[in-house]
Amino acid sequence: MARLRHAPHIGLLIYPHAQLAAVHGLTDLFGVAARLTRERLRTEDSVLRVSHLGHDMAGDEISCLFDTQAGREGEPDIVILPPSLGDPPGGDAIAPLVAWLRARHAGGTALASVCAGAFLLAETGLLSGRTATTHWIYAEALADRFPQIRVDADKLLIDDGDIITAGGLMAWTDLGLKLVDRLLGPTAMIETARFLLVDPPGREQRYYSAFSPRLTHGDAAVLKVQHWLQANGTRGMTVGAMAVQAGLEERTFLRRFSAATGLRPIEYCQHLRVGKARAMLEGTNKPIDQIGWDVGYEDPASFRKLFLKLTGLSPGDYRRRFGATRMSVSRSPRSDE
């Protein structure tokens, strides 16, 4: 195996009353995943880096408290906000954390929360206009405190690319496996779940990976458009509108977007749409043609063809494999193909 240029870096943020059991549990889960991956690939190279982040002794700045690669520099690729054992975080005490999280996200770091950690994430404003989950007992409080968030406590995990929220207190195991799948691949995720005797996420793919947008490319103008698309959707989206959002001439935008993300803008939007469609197929009873329309496709045949191309399964096969529900309304013979 070729030497890795950059081992993915996961940071665990320790805030007041954060559940340390989740912090250490995730550290162990990622450690197992890294060891099993190195053994399978027969390499001594680092494949995953985990750090604990929190206030320094003076309480003024966020610093590294622990690092599996001590002495290494570099911002995390993903920061996780663990559950809280006290009241949901809020108030002046977390203001420095909120500013720090906003800065990391603006620089391309993905953010993830578990349980009441969603309140800290919501304080950043980054969940506004998005769907998020938390522990069912906190769902009403989160919706009341942040009315601009669509709270869906029926879902255990919501992956929005640059933002991931997980539900219950122990949902850190689901989030951990989700991130192993994203960073090390589905084989590593299954190996880790089997070793720890933990069920894999119930509707997690095994033979193909979910779209994970590239966010650490360093092009601020392109990153701005990526966050904008994630928050506002892609229905009716044009390259011209994206270029305006980026503040670039259209030809320059096309070149920089492709270089940064590895995809043309239209391909990127297709991946986002199919990602939204997969979530609907997993968790709703909506007819497939309606899902296609909802994510931006007026032609059902075009939607089905693209879905098959990007996932390897027809929408109907995907629902049969990963759906939490079954269609309870009558359908035409071809409605699930």
Side-chain angles (χ1 to χ4, degrees):
M1 175 182 175
R3 182 166 295 276
L4 296 175
R5 182 167 53 90
H6 168 69
H9 179 188
I10 301 173
L12 298 161
L13 183 62
I14 302 175
Y15 59 87
H17 306 297
Q19 185 194 30
L20 296 182
V23 173
H24 294 298
L26 281 164
T27 303
D28 289 343
L29 185 152
F30 294 135
V32 167
R35 177 173 63 80
L36 293 175
T37 299
R38 287 195 304 270
E39 290 175 356
R40 173 165 44 83
L41 299 179
R42 299 180 181 178
T43 180
E44 297 298 322
D45 291 346
S46 172
V47 296
L48 202 60
R49 175 185 174 190
V50 180
S51 63
H52 298 175
L53 309 166
H55 285 297
D56 58 19
M57 294 297 292
D60 297 327
E61 297 182 355
I62 308 302
S63 60
C64 181
L65 309 175
F66 164 82
D67 198 325
T68 57
Q69 296 183 24
R72 285 284 303 275
E73 299 294 330
E75 299 288 355
D77 299 298
I78 298 170
V79 169
I80 298 175
L81 312 180
S84 171
L85 291 181
D87 292 331
D92 295 339
I94 65 168
L97 298 174
V98 170
W100 184 85
L101 288 168
R102 285 193 191 121
R104 301 288 80 69
H105 184 263
T109 296
L111 304 179
S113 68
V114 184
C115 193
F119 285 80
L120 176 52
L121 184 53
E123 289 284 356
T124 67
L126 297 170
L127 287 179
S128 296
R130 302 196 193 210
T131 302
T133 190
T134 186
H135 194 297
W136 62 267
I137 202 170
Y138 294 132
E140 185 175 352
L142 184 65
D144 289 345
R145 189 159 144 189
F146 303 98
Q148 63 274 44
I149 300 174
R150 297 184 294 271
V151 179
D152 186 354
D154 290 336
K155 292 185 178 178
L156 187 62
L157 192 146
I158 296 176
D159 184 353
D160 212 18
D162 59 331
I163 301 284
I164 307 174
T165 54
L169 195 67
M170 294 300 294
W172 60 263
T173 60
D174 299 87
L175 174 63
L177 291 173
K178 179 75 173 179
L179 294 179
V180 170
D181 186 18
R182 173 184 288 199
L183 299 174
L184 299 179
T187 299
M189 185 270 287
I190 295 300
E191 287 177 339
T192 304
R194 183 180 297 120
F195 182 89
L196 296 175
L197 298 181
V198 175
D199 288 337
R203 290 170 298 283
E204 190 72 24
Q205 63 177 358
R206 296 190 181 192
Y207 305 113
Y208 49 91
S209 296
F211 175 54
S212 299
R214 188 185 301 171
L215 301 169
T216 56
H217 45 70
D219 191 323
V222 172
L223 185 62
K224 180 182 178 182
V225 173
Q226 289 178 273
H227 291 329
W228 182 60
L229 291 172
Q230 206 74 49
N232 295 285
T234 61
R235 175 176 286 279
M237 189 58 61
T238 65
V239 172
M242 287 185 269
V244 170
Q245 187 69 18
L248 299 172
E249 188 271 335
E250 191 169 314
R251 183 176 298 179
T252 301
F253 169 73
L254 282 168
R255 175 176 53 79
R256 285 174 56 174
F257 190 95
S258 297
T261 68
L263 296 168
R264 293 176 297 171
I266 185 62
E267 294 171 331
Y268 190 91
C269 288
Q270 288 172 343
H271 279 283
L272 289 180
R273 290 170 181 167
V274 167
K276 296 289 186 184
R278 287 175 51 207
M280 293 183 193
L281 289 166
E282 291 171 6
T284 77
N285 280 333
K286 282 188 175 183
I288 289 173
D289 289 353
Q290 180 63 50
I291 289 175
W293 173 270
D294 288 346
V295 300
Y297 291 96
E298 298 181 6
D299 180 9
S302 296
F303 165 66
R304 292 166 187 271
K305 182 178 180 180
L306 178 66
F307 192 97
L308 177 62
K309 176 183 177 182
L310 295 185
T311 69
L313 294 169
S314 72
D317 285 340
Y318 186 91
R319 170 170 271 162
R320 281 187 285 273
R321 288 196 183 196
F322 302 113
T325 59
R326 291 293 180 266
M327 296 294 286
S328 58
V329 296
S330 60
R331 301 180 299 264
S332 65
R334 294 182 57 82
S335 64
D336 231 12
E337 293 305 317

